[in-house]
Amino acid sequence: MPETPWNPNERIISKIRVLPDGKIILQEADSSSSPAYVFDENGKYLFVLSSMDLGLMSDICMKNGKYYAMTMPSDITSGSYQCLISEIDMTNGQILKGKELSEGIQPDTVVVTGDGMYVTSPQRISKIDVETGKLEELFDWNQTDVDRGILDR
């Protein structure tokens, strides 16, 4: 049984992530207000991912030895619902100030994989450059339309 900062019988963990370096992240619920607890590969509690200003909105990916996640301002009274890509300091769990993403990107359209973050829309699939916050189009759905009339000629 891993060492936890809480009584293990009092919490229901709904999300478990294992990072490339072996760290394990446990989260109670899939929301920005849920704390994400980090453990080492042996199950020893290290810290909780935290920020006074930002809430974690996605899984974590790694690029060039640094960790990144999608975040949003945690103060809903601020009126800002802008998605950000934030670096996470895995020495102390601090979520650093993020880079803004394109307007309209919502956390439920983002998929995190072993090689990065991707966003889908009715028009395209794009990869998010986690270091800059910019989108790189990979596939445009509109390019898949075939004019069948051409095939009959």
Side-chain angles (χ1 to χ4, degrees):
M1 177 71 94
E3 167 193 326
T4 62
W6 67 85
N7 180 341
N9 298 322
E10 294 176 357
R11 303 267 170 112
I12 297 174
I13 300 299
S14 65
K15 199 169 206 180
I16 300 172
R17 293 175 230 143
V18 179
L19 302 178
D21 65 359
K23 285 186 179 74
I24 302 163
I25 299 178
L26 302 179
Q27 198 166 9
E28 290 180 56
D30 200 11
S31 78
S32 62
S33 62
S34 298
Y37 302 97
V38 180
F39 299 81
D40 70 12
E41 63 276 0
N42 298 312
K44 180 181 179 215
Y45 173 72
L46 300 174
F47 45 77
V48 64
L49 297 181
S50 63
S51 168
M52 293 297 290
D53 303 319
L54 300 170
L56 200 59
M57 300 302 294
S58 75
D59 282 340
I60 296 170
C61 70
M62 184 181 206
K63 183 173 182 183
N64 297 327
K66 295 181 179 180
Y67 290 95
Y68 298 89
M70 178 180 286
T71 58
M72 285 181 100
S74 54
D75 179 11
I76 59 171
T77 61
S78 71
S80 175
Y81 299 101
Q82 179 69 38
C83 290
L84 307 168
I85 293 293
S86 298
E87 184 180 339
I88 298 173
D89 183 341
M90 280 299 189
T91 62
N92 60 19
Q94 185 175 1
I95 301 171
L96 306 175
K97 176 75 173 117
K99 296 169 188 70
E100 288 190 7
L101 286 173
S102 299
E103 288 289 330
I105 292 180
Q106 296 300 313
D108 60 348
T109 64
V110 174
V111 175
V112 180
T113 67
D115 70 337
M117 290 186 183
Y118 297 84
V119 63
T120 61
S121 73
Q123 292 80 32
R124 65 191 54 88
I125 297 175
S126 301
K127 184 170 185 176
I128 300 170
D129 182 331
V130 294
E131 294 175 319
T132 66
K134 300 203 182 306
L135 300 179
E136 172 193 353
E137 182 179 293
L138 301 176
F139 183 82
D140 186 329
W141 294 114
N142 296 317
Q143 294 174 356
T144 64
D145 291 344
V146 175
D147 181 355
R148 297 230 179 254
I150 296 173
L151 300 176
D152 294 335
R153 292 185 193 157

